[in-house]
Amino acid sequence: MCALDGAVLDRMRHEALTMPNAWVAEYGEFQSGGWWTLSLFNASGDPADVTIADCEAVPTSLLERMPATRALLDGLGLVYMWVRLARLAPNSFLWEHRDYGELSEREHYRLHIPLQTNRSAGLVLGGAKVHLAAGDLWRLVPTNAHGACNLLGPDRIHLILDCYGNDGFAKLAGRSRLDDGDAVMLPSASDAELDRHVDDAVRLARLGYTETAERSLLRLFYRYALPEGRVYDLLATMHMTLAQPEAARAWQAKKMLMLGTKDEGGRQ
């Protein structure tokens, strides 16, 4: 949407990198491991309170020690629901999912400010991988299915702003842009290619490496432009091939959890 001043970005990055080692692992079912957060605005003022919800947000004790970050947040003119620092380690993933399903029907918006990143880190949505450049202010529509990855490192550290609609947000949104090269379309995969990946995963599972097999299929979301939820269907297929119907049903249930979809009976 717009770029931060380089000196401001440097100060904010320094503040994030020198925080005490008290990062909180949350939303474990949505990630591979390696994703941690700390709150700067939330309902309680406790930086370890990181499960987002509708609220009248207040600054946390952590933000009091981050003057450059506080000045930026105060100057954007936004009404915050929650603001977090989010850290994604090398070789870590946020699996395909949707957000905001548990929130009220108020207007919610999400902005990202990458403080530290690398070219192997990206957001995947709509069959494209988008590298979010450091120092830019990016808007994400988290009700669309998406995932994030950091393949090589160093740690990817973002400031994530969840806010309500107001004039300040409308002003920022009016400056939105996506430059050439920001988004790279992923290649499509034929049914035969996907079948081969499932066969490879089945062989790994039969050797006793079930978790590795499952993750190999989950990571296809970052390699190919796939229909929504297809990786979860592939996991169910793998377990059915292994004569493990309960595990297959568990992955179909996981699909509904991650994407907010409904089964044929209308249950969510």
Side-chain angles (χ1 to χ4, degrees), residues 4 53 57 143 246 258:
L4 274 62
T143 51
E246 289 187 8
M258 301 292 277

Side-chain angles (χ1 to χ4, degrees), residues 73-238:
L73 293 173
D74 287 347
L76 290 176
L78 300 173
V79 177
Y80 297 113
M81 179 185 78
W82 217 274
V83 178
R84 296 168 290 166
L85 285 171
R87 177 175 145 221
L88 188 63
N91 193 32
S92 297
F93 301 84
L94 287 171
W95 307 127
E96 182 189 10
H97 69 283
R98 281 195 181 94
D99 293 313
Y100 286 180
E102 75 283 12
L103 302 180
S104 74
E105 294 185 3
R106 291 179 66 180
E107 287 183 285
H108 300 88
Y109 299 99
R110 176 167 294 171
L111 304 174
H112 279 242
I113 302 177
L115 303 179
Q116 176 175 282
T117 189
N118 65 84
R119 291 301 304 184
S120 80
L123 182 76
V124 174
L125 71 169
K129 182 178 179 181
V130 184
H131 174 67
L132 307 184
D136 284 349
L137 182 61
W138 298 83
R139 179 186 174 188
L140 169 65
V141 181
T143 51
N144 293 334
H146 63 282
C149 62
N150 182 9
L151 302 180
L152 302 175
D155 286 355
R156 166 192 181 263
I157 300 176
H158 281 200
L159 183 63
I160 302 177
L161 291 60
D162 288 295
C163 61
Y164 297 111
N166 73 337
D167 290 343
F169 176 81
K171 182 178 178 180
L172 285 173
R175 299 157 62 185
S176 296
R177 71 177 196 276
L178 192 65
D179 294 334
D180 291 343
D182 285 339
V184 176
M185 295 304 300
L186 297 173
S188 59
S190 67
D191 289 341
E193 285 178 290
L194 296 177
D195 288 344
R196 285 195 292 272
H197 284 294
V198 172
D199 290 343
D200 290 342
V202 167
R203 282 192 286 270
L204 276 172
R206 284 176 171 156
L207 290 171
Y209 301 106
T210 301
E211 184 177 357
T212 300
E214 291 174 338
R215 293 194 174 199
S216 74
L217 296 179
L218 286 167
R219 289 177 61 156
L220 295 180
F221 180 75
Y222 309 92
R223 181 172 175 181
Y224 298 115
L226 297 175
E228 184 178 302
R230 185 67 185 276
V231 290
Y232 299 110
D233 296 334
L234 296 176
L235 282 153
T237 298
M238 181 194 87

Side-chain angles (χ1 to χ4, degrees), residues 14-108:
H14 176 75
E15 289 175 351
L17 290 172
T18 55
M19 285 300 99
N21 188 24
W23 295 82
V24 179
E26 185 58 281
Y27 298 107
E29 69 273 21
F30 287 83
Q31 57 155 311
S32 65
W35 190 73
W36 302 276
T37 55
L38 287 168
S39 293
L40 304 184
F41 272 91
N42 63 12
S44 65
D46 178 1
D49 177 7
V50 296
T51 304
I52 67 168
D54 282 295
C55 70
E56 299 297 326
V58 298
T60 70
S61 58
L62 182 59
L63 186 59
E64 296 172 1
R65 297 153 55 189
M66 303 177 69
T69 304
R70 177 66 186 266
L72 175 90
L73 293 173
D74 287 347
L76 290 176
L78 300 173
V79 177
Y80 297 113
M81 179 185 78
W82 217 274
V83 178
R84 296 168 290 166
L85 285 171
R87 177 175 145 221
L88 188 63
N91 193 32
S92 297
F93 301 84
L94 287 171
W95 307 127
E96 182 189 10
H97 69 283
R98 281 195 181 94
D99 293 313
Y100 286 180
E102 75 283 12
L103 302 180
S104 74
E105 294 185 3
R106 291 179 66 180
E107 287 183 285
H108 300 88

